[in-house]
């Protein structure tokens, strides 16, 4: 039997256990999760539980799956390989790296299997050279270093704001939105763009990040919303800094919550509609060009 583990986040609190497992374990359907739970293979915080049990934030789900039925990891999509980095396209629902040894395979494991030199490219053995992370629900381009020097240089570039990151998001957009609106606390129009520099810090639960005066400096440059016919809009934004949940919190703070992000006021959906479209490490090394991950279905303007 293979254990598949998942810790419940705030946005999934109150959902059925089988729904949460099917949503967050790549390759595992809700039907399979329900069937295995009914056979007695589901535990929540170490205690047997039915598939229909409503879960709470922070609870630890563990589903024992026969080796023959364990979901296969998704294929690794390589966008580019340079002498210093491997760029891959992360699918939604797959974590960047394992938090615990018993967790399901993560993207870093797939990269290490295909590019063994990445295995020891970072001090943390879980990272396999990952120079940054994306939230589990976010898709898009991620870079993995192929040696220790490249990893250290890339981390320094991210810390200094020299790594250029462009994201796409689908948001709920009010009809009376005025863009970019007047200047105000933590917002400054730049022509048609809007610079949001609202500081970010811990929220009321470990899963949440909020705008707060004593938070870390955080800057996002946001392009005008491209309205769609479904009361939603596509937004392009550039993250000047790279704080945890930065794109999600800054957009929600503007009244533009991302679809599929109920943690920050977004409507429920089958995925988080946030996509890391491009990454440019040219400031670190002129030989590194801008790498683009194709837009997934549902991100059309």
């Amino acid at each position: 039997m293979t254990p598949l583990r998942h810790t419940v986040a705030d946005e999934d609190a109150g959902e059925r256990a089988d729904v949460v497992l099917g949503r967050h374990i790549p390759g595992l359907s809700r039907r399979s999760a329900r069937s295995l739970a009914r056979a007695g293979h589901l535990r929540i915080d170490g205690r047997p539980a039915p598939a229909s049990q409503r879960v709470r934030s922070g609870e630890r789900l563990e589903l024992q799956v026969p080796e023959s039925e364990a979901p296969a990891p998704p294929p690794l999509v390589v966008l580019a390989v340079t002498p210093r980095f491997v760029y891959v396209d992360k699918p939604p629902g797959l974590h960047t790296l394992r938090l615990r040894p018993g967790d399901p395979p993560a993207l870093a494991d797939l990269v290490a299997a295909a590019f063994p030199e990445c295995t020891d490219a970072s001090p943390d053995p879980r990272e396999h050279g990952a120079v940054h992370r994306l939230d589990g629900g976010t898709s898009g381009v991620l870079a993995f270093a192929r040696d220790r020097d490249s990893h250290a240089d890339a981390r320094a570039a991210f810390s200094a704001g020299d790594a250029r990151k462009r994201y796409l998001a689908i948001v709920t957009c009010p009809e009376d939105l005025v863009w970019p609106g007047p200047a105000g606390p933590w917002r400054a129009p730049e022509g048609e763009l809007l610079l949001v520099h609202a500081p970010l810090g811990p929220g009321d639960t470990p899963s949440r990040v909020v705008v707060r005066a004593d938070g870390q400096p955080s800057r996002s440059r946001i392009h005008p919303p491209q309205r769609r016919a479904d009361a939603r809009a596509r937004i392009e934004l550039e993250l000047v800094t790279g704080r945890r949940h930065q794109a999600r919190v800054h957009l929600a703070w503007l009244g533009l919550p991302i679809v599929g992000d109920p943690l920050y006021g977004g409507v429920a959906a089958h995925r988080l509609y946030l996509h890391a479209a491009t990454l440019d490490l040219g400031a670190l090394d002129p030989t590194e060009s801008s790498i683009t991950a194709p837009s997934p279905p549902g991100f059309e303007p």
Side-chain angles (χ1 to χ4, degrees):
M1 302 290 278
T2 298
L4 302 178
R5 301 185 178 95
H6 176 73
T7 300
V8 179
D10 289 353
E11 58 260 44
D12 291 319
E15 295 269 22
R16 289 170 53 112
D18 57 347
V19 171
V20 174
L21 287 167
R23 178 181 297 159
H24 292 288
I25 303 295
L28 179 72
S29 68
R30 175 185 173 184
R31 181 177 180 181
S32 296
R34 182 171 61 247
S35 176
L36 289 166
R38 286 175 174 172
H41 296 307
L42 172 65
R43 290 181 176 271
I44 299 179
D45 284 346
R47 297 183 296 274
S52 60
Q53 182 162 321
R54 303 287 173 171
V55 298
R56 294 177 294 182
S57 179
E59 286 184 325
R60 181 76 167 161
L61 310 185
E62 180 175 303
L63 187 68
Q64 294 288 337
V65 181
E67 296 287 347
S68 59
E69 298 181 25
L76 180 66
V77 178
V78 178
L79 298 171
V81 180
T82 70
R84 304 187 69 182
F85 300 100
V86 176
Y87 298 87
V88 300
D89 191 356
K90 175 189 170 301
L94 182 67
H95 289 287
T96 302
L97 51 88
R98 300 191 202 205
L99 297 180
R100 303 168 186 82
D103 286 349
L107 184 62
D109 301 299
L110 304 183
V111 171
F115 298 91
E117 68 273 18
C118 294
T119 303
D120 299 320
S122 49
D124 187 335
R126 301 174 303 165
E127 293 180 344
H128 297 313
V131 300
H132 60 125
R133 302 184 194 180
L134 294 176
D135 293 339
T138 305
S139 57
V141 59
L142 261 171
F144 288 79
R146 304 181 71 184
D147 59 73
R148 287 288 182 103
D149 288 343
S150 296
H151 183 269
D153 290 346
R155 281 291 178 88
F158 272 86
S159 297
D162 292 333
R164 299 183 62 185
K165 300 156 287 181
R166 183 176 65 89
Y167 284 72
L168 295 176
I170 302 298
V171 303
T172 302
C173 187
E175 291 185 3
D176 59 353
L177 177 71
V178 177
W179 189 267
W186 302 328
R187 53 177 291 155
E190 296 181 344
E192 292 188 344
L193 305 185
L194 179 63
L195 175 63
V196 175
H197 48 96
L200 302 178
D204 52 354
T205 70
S207 300
R208 284 177 55 83
V209 174
V210 297
V211 172
R212 49 189 295 173
D214 62 348
Q216 293 181 302
S218 307
R219 291 181 293 154
S220 301
R221 187 169 286 108
I222 303 175
H223 293 243
Q226 297 173 281
R227 293 183 182 274
R228 309 198 314 185
D230 56 1
R232 297 175 179 176
R234 185 174 83 157
I235 283 187
E236 178 182 328
L237 64 158
E238 303 163 34
L239 301 189
V240 182
T241 55
R243 308 301 180 193
R244 178 171 176 254
H245 294 187
Q246 179 175 320
R248 298 164 64 183
V249 179
H250 275 178
L251 287 175
W253 181 73
L254 290 173
L256 299 166
I258 297 175
V259 173
D261 194 9
L263 182 63
Y264 295 110
V267 298
H270 76 283
R271 65 157 291 176
L272 174 67
Y273 276 84
L274 181 63
H275 178 68
T278 63
L279 174 64
D280 188 344
L281 296 178
L284 163 67
D285 188 328
T287 64
E288 301 295 328
S289 60
S290 179
I291 305 299
T292 299
S295 298
F299 282 79
E300 299 82 9

